[in-house]
Amino acid sequence: MKLKPVPGVALLAALLALSTACSGTPAHSTAATPGTGSSATPRIIITPGDGAASVRPDQHIVVTSDHGTLTKVTVRSKDSTVDGELSADRTTWRGKWTLTPGAAYTVSATAAASGGKTTTVAGRFQAAKTRSGLAITSIAPDRAETVGIGMPIIITFDRTVTDRAAVERSLEVRSTHRHDGSWYWTTAYGVQQAIFRLNGYWRAHEKVTVTAHLAGVKTGAGTYGAADVTHRFTIGDAHTVTVNAKTHRLVAKNNGKTVRTWGVSLGTGGDVRSDGVDHLLTTSGIHLTMEEGNPVRMTPPGLKPTDHGWYSEDVRWARRISNSGEYIHQTGGQEYCLGHSNCSHGCVRSPADAAKWFYGWSYRGDIVTITGTARRLDWSNGWGFYQMPWKKWVKGSALDRPASTG
């Protein structure tokens, strides 16, 4: 884990051009030049060297041993320990992440030779300070939130990320169970996002941690991340909902068991505009539940009060399932349509008691699969990310490869 993650989601980065060289000299053992065989004395080299100042943040700490194997390496900054990886032959230790700008580091390492001789060395150095730049404006889900098994991880940046590959390598997702997932980069309405979804779904009740190890990462020309951010959240029960526009029925399941079903009314259709889209049809596909409201003011997307087809009404117990105005909510009238015909403007109308129950039962990220309509949910409509085939989703990664959790 990176040292001392900064609370909150704001990340600072640097626009300061930093020297490629470090001051100071490599920390190494002061023993005489080692010989060979069982009488050899191990030699240890620590990079950056002892006393180095203004070390470029995108460097990694490296400890190497000649004529012996590393038996202990400890790297600290303030009260935190730096994670690192030891080579298979135990002669090289490398810090897993880049440096936190402005942070001071201490390194202690011990090596042993086959003949029994040991060497211990220590070193100190300082990473360069940086100015503000790239920031993360939000991460979904919220910290400590309980979410559904389809919940994506959405990181929103305050500006375009030039080196997406470097930033993506710093993004780590850990979960109770191992899953294959992938990041997908998108820019919509001038907002840069990295979105993580699985090739499948989370398991019920598992714990998930997402960490942006951005401190010291070179995010663009002369730009370095200044701090890490960590989010932890929990997967709740496995909620799955199916809605059939032909039978006008909704079925809600909890951990695979049907817990409630009721008659619904979907979009009536008949509002085809110049874009060729029938805006009164409910979209078919895999939706994810999003935010909720009670009440929510409903108006037709893209229309003004003077336009034909305009309406404005408050609906109760509403849970959004797309960005094109679709919700599961209490019907505002026409109860006779429920379970029999499609009479809505595109939402999934429900009886009052069922809508209220669903409002309290559902999490963000629950799976709602709708079938039987002629309008397909687009992958970028709300959180319709599961509408994109997995292989195509992976192509949206800056590294062009999946990222495993676990």
Side-chain angles (χ1 to χ4, degrees):
M1 180 176 294
K2 180 69 65 129
L3 298 174
K4 200 175 179 62
V6 176
V9 299
L11 293 181
L12 296 179
L15 301 176
L16 179 65
L18 299 173
S19 170
T20 59
C22 311
S23 60
T25 56
H28 54 79
S29 55
T30 58
T33 303
T36 58
S38 61
S39 63
T41 300
R43 183 173 63 131
I44 299 172
I45 299 174
I46 299 173
T47 307
D50 187 30
S54 297
V55 176
R56 273 180 45 163
D58 60 337
Q59 291 195 9
H60 291 258
I61 303 169
V62 179
V63 181
T64 59
S65 172
D66 290 337
H67 306 287
T69 58
L70 294 168
T71 58
K72 184 178 181 180
V73 177
T74 303
V75 182
R76 300 185 64 83
S77 179
K78 292 187 178 180
D79 297 325
S80 300
T81 301
V82 176
D83 285 343
E85 297 174 339
L86 192 61
S87 62
D89 62 2
R90 302 184 66 85
T91 61
T92 302
W93 182 98
R94 179 180 172 86
K96 190 173 183 181
W97 310 107
T98 48
L99 308 177
T100 299
Y105 290 83
T106 61
V107 185
S108 176
T110 301
S114 59
K117 293 184 178 181
T118 64
T119 300
T120 299
V121 300
R124 297 176 61 88
F125 66 90
Q126 181 91 29
K129 296 181 180 180
T130 59
R131 295 197 300 267
S132 62
L134 179 73
I136 286 180
T137 57
S138 66
I139 298 179
D142 296 333
R143 281 192 173 95
E145 183 178 0
T146 298
V147 296
I149 60 174
M151 186 70 199
I153 298 169
I154 305 173
I155 300 179
T156 303
F157 300 91
D158 72 338
R159 66 192 67 188
T160 300
V161 177
T162 304
D163 194 340
R164 293 181 177 183
V167 172
E168 186 173 322
R169 278 191 288 268
S170 78
L171 303 179
E172 180 183 38
V173 180
R174 289 185 170 271
S175 56
T176 306
H177 303 282
R178 182 189 177 281
H179 302 277
D180 286 333
S182 182
W183 293 95
Y184 188 98
W185 289 85
T186 180
T187 302
Y189 307 106
V191 176
Q192 177 87 78
Q193 291 183 324
I195 304 167
F196 184 85
R197 57 152 276 208
L198 300 183
N199 183 19
Y201 303 121
W202 304 106
R203 291 194 195 181
H205 309 140
E206 67 178 316
K207 305 292 185 181
V208 183
T209 300
V210 55
T211 303
H213 297 276
L214 280 178
V217 174
K218 190 172 184 180
T219 60
T223 306
Y224 296 84
D228 299 341
V229 169
T230 297
H231 256 46
R232 294 181 178 87
F233 59 94
T234 301
I235 309 301
D237 289 321
H239 292 171
T240 57
V241 176
T242 56
V243 181
N244 190 316
K246 304 295 186 183
T247 63
H248 315 290
R249 300 295 296 177
L250 181 152
V251 178
K253 293 185 177 182
N254 188 71
N255 299 322
K257 180 180 179 181
T258 299
V259 291
R260 192 152 182 171
T261 182
W262 61 85
V264 295
S265 178
L266 276 63
T268 184
D271 180 20
V272 181
R273 303 179 198 165
S274 58
D275 58 8
V277 175
D278 190 336
H279 292 269
L280 293 185
L281 272 184
T282 307
T283 56
S284 285
I286 301 173
H287 305 67
L288 298 177
T289 50
M290 302 167 70
E291 78 271 15
E292 60 186 15
N294 182 37
V296 171
R297 173 57 61 93
M298 297 287 185
T299 58
L303 295 183
K304 304 184 298 294
T306 55
D307 293 335
H308 174 72
W310 171 264
Y311 59 88
S312 179
E313 60 186 52
D314 286 336
V315 298
R316 302 199 63 191
W317 311 116
R319 171 71 83 171
R320 182 187 287 274
I321 58 172
S322 79
N323 278 347
S324 57
E326 295 169 297
Y327 289 75
I328 298 176
H329 67 74
Q330 175 183 332
T331 188
Q334 297 179 307
E335 285 83 356
Y336 57 86
C337 293
L338 299 176
H340 300 287
S341 58
N342 294 321
C343 306
S344 82
H345 296 116
C347 292
V348 181
R349 292 183 181 177
S350 301
D353 62 334
K356 183 177 181 180
W357 173 84
F358 184 78
Y359 187 90
W361 175 75
S362 60
Y363 315 115
R364 288 203 300 169
D366 286 345
I367 299 164
V368 178
T369 303
I370 298 176
T371 59
T373 76
R375 181 183 176 190
R376 184 178 182 273
L377 176 69
D378 187 79
W379 76 269
S380 61
N381 185 352
W383 292 349
F385 308 134
Y386 282 96
Q387 289 293 99
M388 183 181 289
W390 173 245
K391 289 184 178 180
K392 186 175 181 181
W393 182 267
V394 174
K395 290 294 182 182
S397 160
L399 304 176
D400 194 21
R401 68 187 185 209
S404 295
T405 75

